[in-house]
């Protein structure tokens, strides 16, 4: 009997302990929820910086190519990263589909080469140029590289989604859908961003470094740079299905009138066609003007092998347009913030160099941030990161300058000197040897040297003049030759000036080049 009372007492005590423990746990959970809610409403406490109480090192605005690759890179380096992207559904764009070999090498350097696997990406081994019934093949100079190194072409959205999946798998990176409405500034220092999440709730997130990568239509760049956006032309995009390109695994550039037409594979069954239309106005798609323009003005100029597929793509009706923007990098260093990707710097997409520049910039930034474990001294960090703008210049400005100059040379013109320059460029590239491998190495990002670019550009101009003066020079030909040199100078020098002569050619003379990281 006594044993029963003792056993009952023990059981009652255990049940009472379990009940008390449960009630205590609920109180703690409620208190924790209350603290998090207070942090959302007024995130002044340095330890409460986001809706889940995380304390981040970096906030990234945008999860396109630049934002996703940057988040993966910093996340793999152990940084706590908060990425906010306006729309996490798969993007559907007609640009950003060709990654040059130089960009692929940067992808390898970042350890992200598997992001082009499983998306039906196609290897690209070079270019083919077409002009007035003639054509020439230009191979990438890949002899010194591993057999896997080449260009890659793909659906832009598939590439981005592949990177976003990898971002989501990192425990120290939070990828969230939301619209950033403003940068949070305190005494001239950016402390984070204000944004609306998917459900429309106004939130803030804080970090010592905010990196803006919200693309070509960025609404935040004006706070961090002096944007001078130029729109020289628009691309009209089509997808050709099950067509055979004249040169397999090559991009195709048709030097048409008035401006170039591009073809390149984006999957095993699809070929992207981009028709460049100069200016900002294009024929209307809705009333059939565009279809008529493509059939009557463009179709007769494309290679015969592609004609039927081109007409079929027009008849299918999925015609898209995209303005081509160029914008030199002109930042004003701001403590706590940095610009990257198309929000920071754009060039004409003719040469497909945008992703190469972005990935190269990420490599530069990663290497700069590596020795810094503490990013909280905003003024010292800003002063140190000014070197980023100098270190990136040789690669970025070579690709930017080539894109702008080549587009102007490839466009048709009634001017005799410009016509001669265009013809000379095609024939110079057709010569083979260093005359083709040199420019293609620049185009592909494998040899991004500004001086090499200038030398080849004026070699084309001099080649054009020599053709004019042989076999017998005449006053008229001498005059055209002089205008050709003058025109070439008028094309390339303004672009170089916008990029920055000193930073482009003599970066080692810029004091920021030698700036040491802050002492932790």
């Amino acid at each position: 009997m006594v044993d029963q009372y003792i056993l009952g007492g023990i059981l009652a005590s255990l049940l009472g302990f379990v009940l008390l423990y449960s009630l205590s746990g609920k109180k703690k959970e409620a208190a924790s929820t209350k603290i998090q809610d207070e942090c959302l409403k007024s995130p002044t406490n340095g330890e409460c910086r986001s809706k889940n109480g995380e304390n981040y090192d970096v906030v990234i605005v945008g999860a396109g190519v630049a934002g996703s690759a940057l988040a993966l890179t910093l996340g793999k380096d152990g940084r706590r990263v908060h990425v906010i992207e306006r729309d996490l559904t798969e993007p559907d764009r007609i640009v950003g589909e060709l990654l040059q070999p130089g960009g692929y090498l940067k992808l390898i350097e970042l350890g992200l080469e598997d992001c082009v696997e499983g998306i039906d990406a196609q290897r690209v081994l070079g270019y083919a140029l077409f002009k007035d019934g003639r054509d020439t093949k230009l191979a990438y100079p890949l002899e010194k590289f591993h057999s896997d190194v080449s260009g890659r072409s793909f659906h832009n959205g598939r590439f981005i989604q592949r990177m976003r999946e990898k971002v989501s798998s990192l425990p120290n990176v939070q990828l969230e859908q939301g619209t950033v409405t403003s940068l949070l500034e305190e005494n001239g220092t950016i402390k984070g961003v204000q944004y609306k999440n998917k459900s429309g709730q106004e939130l803030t997130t804080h970090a010592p470094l905010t990196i803006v990568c919200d693309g070509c239509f960025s609404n935040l760049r004006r706070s961090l740079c002096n944007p001078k956006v130029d729109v020289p032309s628009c691309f009209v995009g089509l997808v050709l299905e099950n067509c055979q390109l004249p040169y397999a695994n090559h991009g195709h550039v048709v030097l048409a009138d008035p401006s170039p037409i591009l073809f390149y594979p984006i999957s095993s069954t699809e070929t992207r066609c981009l028709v460049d239309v100069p200016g900002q106005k294009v024929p209307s798609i809705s009333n059939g003007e565009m279809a008529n323009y493509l059939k009557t003005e463009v179709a007769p100029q494309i290679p015969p092998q592609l004609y039927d597929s081109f007409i079929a793509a027009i008849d299918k009706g999925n015609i898209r347009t995209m303005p081509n923007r160029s914008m030199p990098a002109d930042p004003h260093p701001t403590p706590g913030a940095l610009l990257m990707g198309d929000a920071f710097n754009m060039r004409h997409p003719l040469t497909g160099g945008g992703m190469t520049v972005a990935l190269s910039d990420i490599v530069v930034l990663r290497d700069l941030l590596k020795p810094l474990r503490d990013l909280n001294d905003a003024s010292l960090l800003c002063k140190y990161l000014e070197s980023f703008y100098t270190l990136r210049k040789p690669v970025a400005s070579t690709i930017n300058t080539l894109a702008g100059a080549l587009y102007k040379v490839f466009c048709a013109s009634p001017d005799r000197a410009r016509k001669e320059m265009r013809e000379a460029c095609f024939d110079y590239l057709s010569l083979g040897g260093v005359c083709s491998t040199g420019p293609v190495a620049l185009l592909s990002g494998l040899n991004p040297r500004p001086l090499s670019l200038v030398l080849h550009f004026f070699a084309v101009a001099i080649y054009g003049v020599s053709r004019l003066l042989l076999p017998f020079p005449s006053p008229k030909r001498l005059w055209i030759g002089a205008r050709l040199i003058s025109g070439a100078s008028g094309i390339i020098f303004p672009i170089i000036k916008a990029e920055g002569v000193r930073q482009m050619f003599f970066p080692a003379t810029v004091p920021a080049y030698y700036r040491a990281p802050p002492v932790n």
Side-chain angles (χ1 to χ4, degrees):
M1 193 66 136
V2 175
D3 291 343
Q4 289 177 351
Y5 284 123
I6 292 171
L7 183 61
I10 291 170
L11 288 172
S13 299
L14 285 170
L15 287 170
F17 177 75
V18 169
L19 182 62
L20 285 169
Y21 181 79
S22 175
L23 289 171
S24 173
K26 286 181 179 178
K27 284 180 182 177
K28 285 181 181 178
E29 187 178 34
S32 174
T33 303
K34 184 180 178 183
I35 289 170
Q36 286 193 17
D37 287 344
E38 287 174 357
C39 289
L40 286 174
K41 292 173 186 174
S42 181
T44 55
N45 182 343
E47 297 304 316
C48 283
R49 297 192 171 177
S50 73
K51 67 175 185 178
N52 56 10
E54 289 273 357
N55 188 7
Y56 294 108
D57 298 311
V58 181
V59 171
I60 297 175
V61 182
V65 172
S68 298
L70 182 60
L72 279 167
T73 300
L74 297 181
K76 287 165 67 177
D77 277 356
R79 307 284 182 186
R80 294 160 297 178
V81 183
H82 189 184
V83 189
I84 304 169
E85 163 58 37
R86 184 183 59 81
D87 185 359
L88 287 174
T89 58
E90 184 173 310
D92 183 15
R93 303 182 69 205
I94 64 171
V95 292
E97 298 172 315
L98 177 61
L99 180 64
Q100 297 286 3
Y104 184 70
L105 286 173
K106 295 299 178 184
L107 209 62
I108 293 172
E109 197 171 341
L110 294 169
L112 306 179
E113 64 271 23
D114 59 339
C115 291
V116 295
E117 296 173 3
I119 60 172
D120 198 18
Q122 303 297 298
R123 286 170 59 85
V124 179
L125 304 175
Y127 279 88
L129 284 184
F130 294 79
K131 185 180 185 298
D132 300 331
R134 298 175 294 152
D135 63 81
T136 185
K137 187 169 75 166
L138 309 171
Y140 291 138
L142 300 172
E143 298 80 9
K144 297 178 182 178
F145 299 97
H146 186 273
S147 59
D148 184 53
V149 175
S150 67
R152 293 290 193 281
S153 53
F154 39 69
H155 281 269
N156 172 270
R158 294 177 188 174
F159 180 51
I160 289 174
Q161 290 301 93
R162 185 85 172 87
M163 287 200 287
R164 288 175 180 173
E165 288 168 12
K166 289 175 69 69
V167 169
S168 300
S169 69
L170 295 177
N172 54 322
V173 179
Q174 181 191 350
L175 177 60
E176 181 179 4
Q177 182 163 309
T179 302
V180 174
T181 53
S182 63
L183 300 171
L184 298 177
E185 185 179 339
E186 184 180 311
N187 299 322
T189 299
I190 304 301
K191 298 288 188 179
V193 300
Q194 182 171 340
Y195 69 102
K196 287 183 180 180
N197 67 7
K198 195 174 180 180
S199 59
Q201 186 180 8
E202 287 272 6
L203 301 172
T204 58
T205 184
H206 291 65
L209 181 59
T210 299
I211 303 177
V212 176
C213 306
D214 57 346
C216 62
F217 300 106
S218 172
N219 61 352
L220 300 176
R221 67 160 69 100
R222 289 189 177 278
S223 306
L224 305 172
C225 76
N226 303 306
K228 299 180 181 69
V229 180
D230 181 35
V231 184
S233 66
C234 295
F235 267 155
V236 178
L238 298 163
V239 175
L240 281 57
E241 297 180 348
N242 299 308
C243 78
Q244 192 73 35
L245 288 167
Y247 295 95
N249 300 108
H250 281 68
H252 293 59
V253 182
V254 181
L255 303 188
D257 187 357
S259 51
I261 306 165
L262 308 181
F263 296 89
Y264 52 88
I266 55 173
S267 75
S268 53
T269 60
E270 297 164 299
T271 297
R272 168 66 70 197
C273 171
L274 294 174
V275 178
D276 185 84
V277 178
Q280 299 182 32
K281 288 189 69 176
V282 297
S284 171
I285 295 174
S286 58
N287 65 12
E289 283 182 12
M290 178 64 78
N292 182 61
Y293 171 78
L294 294 173
K295 286 182 177 180
T296 58
E297 301 294 330
V298 178
Q301 301 185 71
I302 67 172
Q305 304 96 309
L306 303 175
Y307 183 86
D308 291 342
S309 298
F310 184 76
I311 297 298
I314 298 169
D315 291 338
K316 192 173 181 181
N318 187 20
I319 303 172
R320 310 267 304 281
T321 63
M322 175 76 180
N324 294 325
R325 297 164 178 257
S326 62
M327 184 185 79
D330 188 14
H332 42 79
T334 306
L338 204 65
L339 273 168
M340 293 197 77
D342 282 350
F344 173 46
N345 183 205
M346 294 180 282
R347 75 291 310 151
H348 196 285
L350 171 70
T351 58
M355 289 187 287
T356 301
V357 172
L359 294 170
S360 176
D361 285 354
I362 291 168
V363 170
V364 172
L365 183 62
R366 177 200 63 180
D367 294 344
L368 281 172
L369 292 179
K370 260 188 178 172
L372 301 176
R373 296 322 303 170
D374 182 10
L375 305 177
N376 282 293
D377 193 328
S379 59
L380 277 176
L381 180 65
C382 176
K383 196 170 179 64
Y384 173 58
L385 288 182
E386 281 183 33
S387 60
F388 165 75
Y389 299 122
T390 302
L391 293 169
R392 70 178 291 275
K393 268 294 179 180
V395 173
S397 44
T398 300
I399 292 172
N400 294 346
T401 304
L402 179 63
L406 208 57
Y407 175 70
K408 290 185 177 180
V409 171
F410 279 179
C411 284
S413 170
D415 181 73
R416 174 72 189 278
R418 288 285 298 275
K419 284 182 178 179
E420 290 292 339
M421 183 71 177
R422 191 186 195 211
E423 186 73 27
C425 186
F426 180 88
D427 290 344
Y428 181 86
L429 292 169
S430 303
L431 291 173
V434 70
C435 296
S436 64
T437 58
V440 174
L442 291 163
L443 176 73
S444 61
L446 295 172
N447 176 32
R449 296 180 183 173
L451 186 58
S452 180
L453 166 61
V454 173
L455 290 174
H456 277 289
F457 188 80
F458 280 103
V460 171
I462 293 166
Y463 176 71
V465 173
S466 67
R467 285 155 35 101
L468 277 169
L469 301 184
L470 294 176
F472 300 108
S474 66
K476 182 180 179 182
R477 287 171 174 264
L478 282 168
W479 173 241
I480 294 170
R483 285 177 45 226
L484 193 157
I485 296 292
S486 173
S489 302
I491 287 173
I492 198 166
F493 286 143
I495 302 172
I496 290 174
K497 183 181 177 183
E499 290 291 328
V501 176
R502 187 180 178 189
Q503 287 185 315
M504 185 171 173
F505 292 96
F506 311 106
T509 68
V510 181
Y513 187 86
Y514 302 100
R515 200 153 283 164
V519 178
N520 290 330

